[in-house]
Amino acid sequence: DNTEIIPEDFKLNQNYPNPFNPETIISYELRVTGYVKLRVFDIQGKEVGILTNQRQIPGKYNIEFSSTGRGSELSSGVYYYRLEVVEENSRRINSQTRKMILVR
């Protein structure tokens, strides 16, 4: 249940493990209901995956990211994941980006 404890603020945590191969967990916290998009980009800024794109209520979330299974495997290197949240009531936009490393 994601609603047991309402976080104090918007927060994107460092993925674990990092470096990773082939999977990692990305976690984040929402303090208000909003429209959430979590995307992964390669070092050149090309989007390589959308992990979530939906309305979510306050709480803590964990999403697994796999470097395989999209028709092709990602190569070793640096990737970025970006969380963008448009708060439902205020329309305020929060965003945060973190770096992760894939090692084959």
Side-chain angles (χ1 to χ4, degrees):
D1 183 12
N2 290 331
T3 60
E4 289 180 12
I5 299 174
I6 296 177
E8 293 181 22
D9 203 1
F10 164 85
K11 183 178 180 183
L12 177 62
N13 299 309
Q14 185 63 51
N15 65 301
Y16 180 81
N18 189 33
F20 72 98
N21 179 22
E23 298 169 348
T24 189
I25 301 293
I26 297 172
S27 62
Y28 57 92
E29 301 174 9
L30 304 176
R31 68 175 183 85
V32 297
T33 299
Y35 297 91
V36 178
K37 186 181 277 191
L38 178 60
R39 299 180 291 169
V40 178
F41 300 90
D42 66 16
I43 192 75
Q44 297 173 336
K46 179 183 172 192
E47 184 178 285
V48 297
I50 298 176
L51 305 182
T52 193
N53 187 14
Q54 63 184 346
R55 180 181 178 269
Q56 293 181 332
I57 61 174
K60 297 180 180 184
Y61 294 85
N62 295 310
I63 296 181
E64 183 177 284
F65 173 69
S66 176
S67 62
T68 62
R70 284 181 294 281
S72 65
E73 290 188 11
L74 296 177
S75 59
S76 292
V78 174
Y79 292 86
Y80 294 92
Y81 54 102
R82 180 173 181 82
L83 180 67
E84 297 170 333
V85 180
V86 178
E87 294 181 0
E88 192 170 70
N89 293 333
S90 67
R91 292 302 200 211
R92 177 180 160 187
I93 299 172
N94 292 303
S95 66
Q96 207 168 15
T97 304
R98 291 196 177 264
K99 178 171 69 171
M100 62 183 171
I101 301 170
L102 171 61
V103 177
R104 292 258 177 231

